[in-house]
Every structure is written in C-alpha cells, then in structure tokens.
Amino acid sequence: MLKMHNIRKSYRTDTIETHALRDFSLQVNEGEFVSVTGPSGSGKTTFLNIAGLLETPTGGQYLLDGEDVSSLNDRDRSRLRNEKIGFIFQGFNLIPDLNLFDNIDVPLRYRGFNAKERKKRIEKVLEQVGLSARAKHLPAQLSGGQQQRVAIARALAGEPRFLLADEPTGNLDSLMARQVMELLEFINEWGTTIVMVTHDPDLARRAHRNIQIVDGQVSDLQHGTVGAAREIA
Amino acid sequence: MIGYYISLAMRSLRGTPILSTLMIAAIAVGVGACMTVLTLNYMMSQNALAHKDDVLYAVQLDGWDPNEAADTANELPWQLTYQDATALLRSDIPTRQVAMHRFGFTITLDESEMRPFTADARITTADFFGLFDVPFLFGGTWNADADFSPVQQVVLSKATNDKVFGGENSVGKTINLNGEPFTVVGIIDHWNPSPKVYDLNNNPFADSEEIYIPFGLHRKFEIYSWGNTNGWSHSNEEGYEGFLQGESVWVQYWVELDTAAQKEKYEEYLTGYIRQQKEQGRFQRPLKFALSKPSEWLVLNEVLRDDNRVLGWLSLAFLLVCVVNAVALLLAKFLRKAPEAGVRRALGASRNAIFIQHLIESSCIGVLGGLLGILLSLLGLGGVRQLAMGRIDQIASMDWLMVLAAIGLAVLASLLAGLYPAWRISRTNPSIYLKTQ
C-alpha cells in the first residue's frame, strides 16, 4: 500500500538546513492500522505530509499502491490525494462558512462526481457518523467531537483506501476521543488502511502496529508481527 | 466547476462585506472614470459614413492667399468658394455631388396657432440625401434643377414634421420659411450621425438640421452662411453678388466616386479646373487639391483632439492605480483565507484549481465593480452634458458596446488585480495551515 525507502526531507533557510526526515523507510500494508508516535519535532507530521502527497521529499523513493509518486506533478498528486487518501486533522479543519453537507461535498467536487452521486455519498457518510440531522448546520454549531466526526465523514466520502490521521483526538476530551477512536477502528475493519499520528500511548497501542519516529528516523517497533519498518530501516 | 467557483466567490464576498465593498468600489471608481473619458473619445471617433468610406470624398481646393497657406492641417481651406462650388457642380464625373452650408429659417404656418420658431437649415443640392444615405419617411428630394434655379421646396426632418404637421405625411403641404411659402417634397426619417462627418466646420456633435433647402435659392433670398465663412481678399463687386463671386470660402463640397477610374478622372478634372482658374488670375498658389475619405476627414479636422487622447491615457492610468489598490485588498483577503485553501488542497484541489477559484472570485468582483462603474460613468457623462449645456448630448451617452466594454474592462482589471493574489495563495504550502488551523 505505502512504501517509503530512504526518504529525506530537509528545510532550508538562508542560514540553517533542518533535516526533518533522514533515510526514512517504512512499509504499510493494505488494511493495516498503524500508529505513529514520537516526540514533538521528530518528523511525524512531515512524514504524514509526504505520505499524503502534500509535500515532496527531498530524496528517496515513495511508492503508493506500487506507483512511484516522488516525481509526479502537482495535478497528478492532487488527483491521487483526492482519490486514494483521506485526511483527518487534530484541528478538524472544516471550512467554517460551509455547512456540513457542503464541507463533505468539497472533495467530491474535485473528484468530478455529479450532483446525484455526491448527494448519495454525503448522506451515506453523514449517517455513518450519526449526523444526518445536522447536515445544514455550520461547524461552529457542533461540539468538537461532532466536528471531528464530520471531518471523518468528509475523509470517507470519496471512499479512500488510505486514511491519514494527524492526532485526531488531540482536541477532544476522553469520551469524545474514545468515540472517534472506535469510529476509526470500525472504518479500518471495513478495509481502509489507517496511519494515525498520536501522542497518546493508549491510542497507539490500539493500532495493529506502532512506529516511533525520533530525529526523523524510524527508531522502534513496539508491537506487531512483521517488522516491515525495521526490516527496511 | 465554474458554477461551483462562482457560488464560492459569492459566498466569500458575502462573508467579508466591508472588504468586498472596498474592492468593488476601487474597481468601480476606476472603471467609472475611465469609461466616462473613453466613451467620449469613442463617440467622438465614430465614423457614421464608414460604410461609404471608399467612395465618398470631401473636396478641398487651394485657392487661398498666395502669400500664406491656409491655417489647416493640410494647408488647404476646409471649404470652397461659391463660384468654385457652382462650377464643380457642372461636372458629370461624380456619381453624386453635394455643395452645401448651414443656414436657418423661421418657420410659420398659415392659419395655424403654432408659434413661429427658428429651425437649423441646410442649403444643399439634391444629391445630399442619396450621397449620405439619408432615409426618407415620405416623399423624396427635390428635382436636380433646383440646384441651380430658385425652387421653393423643402425637405423636413422627422422631428420638424412631427412638430409642424403632427407626424402625418405632409408632402405637398406648404410651410413658410422667413415668410416665404415652401412646398414640402420629402420627410426624412430619424437621421443624426455623430460626429456630423458631413459638416465638421461647425459643432461636429450638434444635431442634424431640421430642414433642407435647394442650393439654387441663394440669389433669390440672398442667403449667407450660418456656418464658418473665411476669406483672404476683398471682392471687386459690391453687395451679395460680390459675396457670391468673392474668394471667401463657405461652401462644403462632397463627391461620390465609385471606382478608382472615376476618382482618377475626377482628379484630372480638378487639375484642369485649377489650371483654367490660374489662367484667369485665380489660384495663385502651387496647384494643390485634396479628396479626403470620411475617415481621413475626421482625422484632418481633429475631431478627436490630442488632449482627448491624453485624457484617455490618464484615465487608464487612474484605473491602474485603482487596480493596484484592489491587488492589495485582494491579497489581504485571499491570504486570510489561506487555511481554507490548504484544506482544499488536502482534499484534492490542485494548485491550478485553487488559482482558478480565486481568479473567478476576482472576476465576480470585477463584474460587480463594472456594473457599479457603468452607473458612475452614466453619472459622469451626465455631468459632462450639464457642463457642455447640451452641445455634446449625442456623444456624452453610452451605447451597448460601451456598456459591454465597461464590464469587459472591469473584468480585465479585476483579473489583473487577482492574478498575483490568486497565484500567491495557490503556491502556499498547505501543510503549514493544516497543522496550525
């Protein structure tokens, strides 16, 4: 599903060059639920951005579904992102002046679905996250947990095979966090591959496999059967 | 997607009403000022005879002062003397030819309570209507004999016919001009070319005349010109005959020459005529004449003056200043919405999609600014009309082409204004905003 080999990412200013990822290698298989942990500034989010095709690596090879995406142009990367990848963010990132229906509609618009198909998908995912009755509400009218469920619904509407979650429970209380986590596990059971960055060790343990990133490199494999990451690293 | 982008744009405009209003106002003021000046320039540079530009020619002959050239763009007097005009009228080379000048009459009607009024008149030859494609509502022109003999016939404009006869077919009826009875032979339909290409010596933006009288009536009524009369020597004869036979120029002259051969032949004829006049002691300057097409005639007469052109460029510069202001406002607005663009990028929007979305938002601002700009232009043109006290009513008005041009200019201005801000936001790294939003 996802295979990174010797990925490097550095940010350069006039005086300083920062290496966010160094010889970073990782493999995530179809249907896996992988948690990624590590201290702040270790490169978790950079990894997630590269995995989600929001940033390009400085070097190395990234295969997504067997396709080398390292050298794709912006249009092709956007298309792949739209078709194969769903994002869930810590801050929900809903568009504040669009209601729930229109927020979920955004990725479907870029996908080119017709109005009927979009409506069908939006209603389906809203039902899945239990917010059908709130379709016309604005994000600000919902609780944090509800907003994150909308964000999940938006990520799922395009039926991606790969879900990237960046601290999806970071802004939620424990009850809401548990509900969101259960929703993610449910989604994973239905076959969606999930990579979740988290600071919460309890949540990380609930994944099939935990990857720890330290100083831009995979440093440890806490549990799971085959150490794909370790093997490659 | 265009419809989706437009709906997003309108939502975005509603979301920031003050900023949006400022941007729309910036574009509107620029477009309004620019279109006011450009409309005046555009209307001034119209050629109502463009469809006959290849066959009509204004005739100029150089019979001016041997010691000093005429003070015109091509150093030829704009008009002809009466004696030259009547001589040229006898040529059978042109398909049509017109000698004419401006005049005025007081119109009265027998056994009518209508109050007398003064009407602008054109003393002209029978070909006037055919040569300038003047449409007739009723009747037609007078017989060509009236170009040389005193025939008291008149052609009325539609407005005059409406005023005097209530719009009915008045052909055959009689009206009094300066107390003399004239028989109506024709009523022309609405015809009001602007600028008045056929008579640029007087106000080129004045309305067309209200009545038209045969050229052969000069001696009978001792008709002088109400237009420009210029001279450089005194006539030997006294009185009105002296005026007619003098060297004063006051008759405008046009010919219709349908083919190149016809034009060449007419040029030979004019050359011969001038040589003949030289033998008689006239035309003492080097042999020179000009046949100018309507388009050339407009340029020669500087209907659109250089200062009008400069004003046009200045108005465009003002629009540019407004566009620069709009760029700053758009940049502020778009960058404030960078997090949303980041989310859209994460959800599958390409850089181009983000760029187009924001460029369409700029265009929407442009369309709204254009519509408001048109209103401001109309106000501006109204002000110009007030200042000119009715002398340029015809040109100080917008036609549909200029309305469309105003919207086009506004959209172009807003697209220019939106290019950089849209490019900036489309190039922004989305991950920055996704983490921090």
Side-chain angles (χ1 to χ4, degrees):
Chain A
M1 178 77 212
L2 176 156
K3 190 173 181 183
M4 290 182 175
H5 184 60
N6 286 342
I7 289 290
R8 297 186 305 281
K9 180 68 183 178
S10 55
Y11 300 100
R12 187 191 291 268
T13 65
D14 288 342
T15 52
I16 302 169
E17 186 173 15
T18 308
H19 299 281
L21 291 179
R22 295 180 294 178
D23 297 327
F24 184 97
S25 298
L26 175 70
Q27 180 167 334
V28 176
N29 298 316
E30 183 96 39
E32 268 197 298
F33 190 156
V34 175
S35 63
V36 178
T37 55
S40 294
S42 59
K44 301 187 299 294
T45 299
T46 302
F47 153 67
L48 216 57
N49 286 337
I50 290 173
L53 305 176
L54 289 171
E55 290 191 51
T56 50
T58 312
Q61 189 184 44
Y62 174 20
L63 301 178
L64 183 63
D65 263 353
E67 183 181 359
D68 187 349
V69 297
S70 311
S71 56
L72 289 181
N73 62 28
D74 177 70
R75 190 178 155 195
D76 289 337
R77 293 163 66 83
S78 300
R79 180 183 50 78
L80 273 182
R81 194 160 59 234
N82 180 255
E83 290 176 3
K84 292 190 175 179
I85 304 171
F87 282 95
I88 304 168
F89 306 98
Q90 180 180 356
F92 322 134
N93 284 346
L94 297 175
I95 297 172
D97 53 354
L98 298 183
N99 63 33
L100 307 194
F101 188 97
D102 290 337
N103 258 289
I104 299 169
D105 190 35
V106 172
L108 305 180
R109 290 273 187 175
Y110 295 119
R111 188 79 163 266
F113 289 135
N114 61 36
K116 190 178 168 188
E117 176 69 17
R118 293 199 313 269
K119 186 169 184 286
K120 192 178 93 183
R121 284 175 179 250
I122 293 166
E123 285 172 351
K124 181 182 165 191
V125 291
L126 274 173
E127 194 179 326
Q128 281 176 347
V129 298
L131 289 168
S132 294
R134 315 292 291 271
K136 296 297 171 189
H137 284 65
L138 291 171
Q141 296 169 309
L142 305 182
S143 69
Q146 286 172 323
Q147 287 190 47
Q148 193 59 298
R149 277 151 61 193
V150 176
I152 292 170
R154 183 176 65 185
L156 292 177
E159 295 176 357
R161 294 174 54 208
F162 186 30
L163 203 59
L164 294 171
D166 191 358
E167 302 193 35
T169 59
N171 283 6
L172 304 177
D173 60 36
S174 57
L175 179 64
M176 293 286 187
R178 199 176 68 226
Q179 286 177 354
V180 166
M181 193 60 199
E182 284 169 0
L183 186 57
L184 290 177
E185 285 169 340
F186 176 73
I187 291 163
N188 177 245
E189 280 170 21
W190 278 85
T192 305
T193 308
I194 297 178
V195 173
M196 177 183 71
V197 167
T198 181
H199 274 113
D200 186 335
D202 291 337
L203 292 181
R205 271 193 292 275
R206 290 173 68 166
H208 299 161
R209 187 153 62 98
N210 176 232
I211 305 296
Q212 193 169 42
I213 299 178
V214 177
D215 288 340
Q217 290 182 306
V218 175
S219 76
D220 191 18
L221 185 70
Q222 289 185 343
H223 58 276
T225 52
V226 180
R230 184 184 290 279
E231 284 173 4
I232 293 167
Chain B
M1 286 300 275
I2 299 292
Y4 178 56
Y5 292 149
I6 291 173
S7 71
L8 288 178
M10 299 318 287
R11 196 193 298 264
S12 170
L13 294 182
R14 283 195 302 270
T16 52
I18 295 174
L19 204 55
S20 301
T21 304
L22 283 174
M23 284 186 290
I24 290 167
I27 298 288
V29 168
V31 168
C34 200
M35 287 313 296
T36 302
V37 176
L38 292 184
T39 298
L40 287 171
N41 285 6
Y42 164 76
M43 296 302 274
M44 281 182 192
S45 58
Q46 290 297 294
N47 179 5
L49 296 174
H51 62 293
K52 294 186 86 170
D53 208 54
D54 290 335
V55 294
L56 295 192
Y57 299 91
V59 179
Q60 289 173 278
L61 305 176
D62 195 1
W64 201 246
D65 184 353
N67 300 314
E68 190 179 7
D71 185 20
T72 63
N74 61 359
E75 299 192 331
L76 292 169
W78 296 128
Q79 302 175 104
L80 306 188
T81 62
Y82 176 83
Q83 56 176 321
D84 291 330
T86 48
L88 296 190
L89 276 175
R90 299 191 185 280
S91 167
D92 59 0
I93 299 169
T95 307
R96 295 186 179 95
Q97 52 192 336
V98 173
M100 60 184 179
H101 64 87
R102 187 176 163 227
F103 195 62
F105 283 101
T106 301
I107 298 181
T108 55
L109 208 57
D110 288 338
E111 298 171 1
S112 167
E113 291 180 355
M114 185 189 77
R115 295 179 67 181
F117 66 94
T118 303
D120 275 334
R122 181 145 295 267
I123 314 297
T124 185
T125 48
D127 279 350
F128 176 86
F129 307 97
L131 188 142
F132 292 117
D133 281 345
V134 185
F136 271 94
L137 206 55
F138 303 114
T141 184
W142 48 79
N143 193 293
D145 293 343
D147 293 345
F148 297 98
S149 53
V151 177
Q152 289 182 215
Q153 293 182 339
V154 61
V155 169
L156 304 180
S157 70
K158 184 177 185 299
T160 308
N161 189 54
D162 290 346
K163 191 172 180 179
V164 178
F165 295 108
E168 65 175 349
N169 184 354
S170 59
V171 172
K173 294 192 173 179
T174 301
I175 62 169
N176 298 322
L177 303 180
N178 290 355
E180 291 286 333
F182 279 71
T183 306
V184 178
V185 293
I187 318 294
I188 63 172
D189 204 349
H190 177 75
W191 181 72
N192 204 9
S194 182
K196 215 161 65 173
V197 192
Y198 63 88
D199 178 10
L200 299 177
N201 303 119
N202 303 296
N203 177 7
F205 308 111
D207 288 336
S208 293
E209 290 74 13
E210 296 162 283
I211 55 175
Y212 300 83
I213 305 295
F215 199 72
L217 287 165
H218 279 99
R219 285 190 171 84
K220 182 170 182 181
F221 294 119
E222 295 198 350
I223 295 171
Y224 288 87
S225 173
W226 277 24
N228 290 343
T229 301
N230 300 98
W232 57 275
S233 76
H234 294 288
S235 171
N236 293 327
E237 285 198 53
E238 292 295 318
Y240 186 71
E241 197 58 33
F243 173 68
L244 292 183
Q245 299 308 322
E247 292 297 338
S248 293
V249 291
W250 51 283
V251 180
Q252 296 151 341
Y253 206 91
W254 285 82
V255 289
E256 181 175 332
L257 304 166
D258 293 328
T259 63
Q262 204 177 2
K263 188 186 174 206
E264 194 177 335
K265 197 174 173 188
Y266 193 65
E267 286 170 339
E268 286 171 10
Y269 164 77
L270 290 179
T271 305
Y273 174 76
I274 292 172
R275 284 195 176 129
Q276 185 191 49
Q277 295 301 308
K278 279 179 175 292
E279 286 169 9
Q280 293 172 15
R282 299 180 66 225
F283 286 78
Q284 292 170 42
R285 295 184 57 74
L287 193 152
K288 189 178 177 187
F289 63 86
L291 296 174
S292 304
K293 296 176 179 182
S295 55
E296 296 167 339
W297 194 236
L298 286 161
V299 173
L300 269 178
N301 280 270
E302 294 181 336
V303 175
L304 184 62
R305 292 169 181 273
D306 284 345
D307 48 0
N308 293 111
R309 287 195 178 87
V310 170
L311 206 58
W313 286 112
L314 282 176
S315 69
L316 284 170
F318 179 69
L319 177 62
L320 191 63
V321 171
C322 294
V323 166
V324 170
N325 275 293
V327 170
L329 292 167
L330 273 172
L331 198 57
K333 180 181 168 74
F334 285 177
L335 290 183
R336 207 171 76 172
K337 291 183 70 181
E340 180 185 326
V343 173
R344 289 183 178 278
R345 294 272 287 127
L347 297 176
S350 65
R351 284 180 181 144
N352 282 346
I354 296 294
F355 179 73
I356 291 169
Q357 178 198 330
H358 288 86
L359 213 53
I360 284 177
E361 186 170 335
S362 303
S363 305
C364 289
I365 290 168
V367 170
L368 294 171
L371 292 174
L372 187 59
I374 289 169
L375 287 178
L376 293 177
S377 288
L378 292 174
L379 281 175
L381 291 170
V384 171
R385 280 198 297 272
Q386 290 290 321
L387 283 173
M389 292 184 293
R391 289 196 302 275
I392 57 169
D393 280 6
Q394 279 208 79
I395 55 164
S397 58
M398 263 187 156
D399 61 12
W400 280 108
L401 191 64
M402 291 312 280
V403 168
L404 289 177
I407 295 174
L409 189 69
V411 171
L412 183 68
S414 60
L415 280 177
L416 280 175
L419 273 177
Y420 176 65
W423 181 83
R424 268 287 297 273
I425 194 167
S426 70
R427 258 54 190 174
T428 307
N429 183 356
S431 55
I432 296 170
Y433 299 102
L434 297 174
K435 187 70 179 171
T436 57
Q437 193 181 48

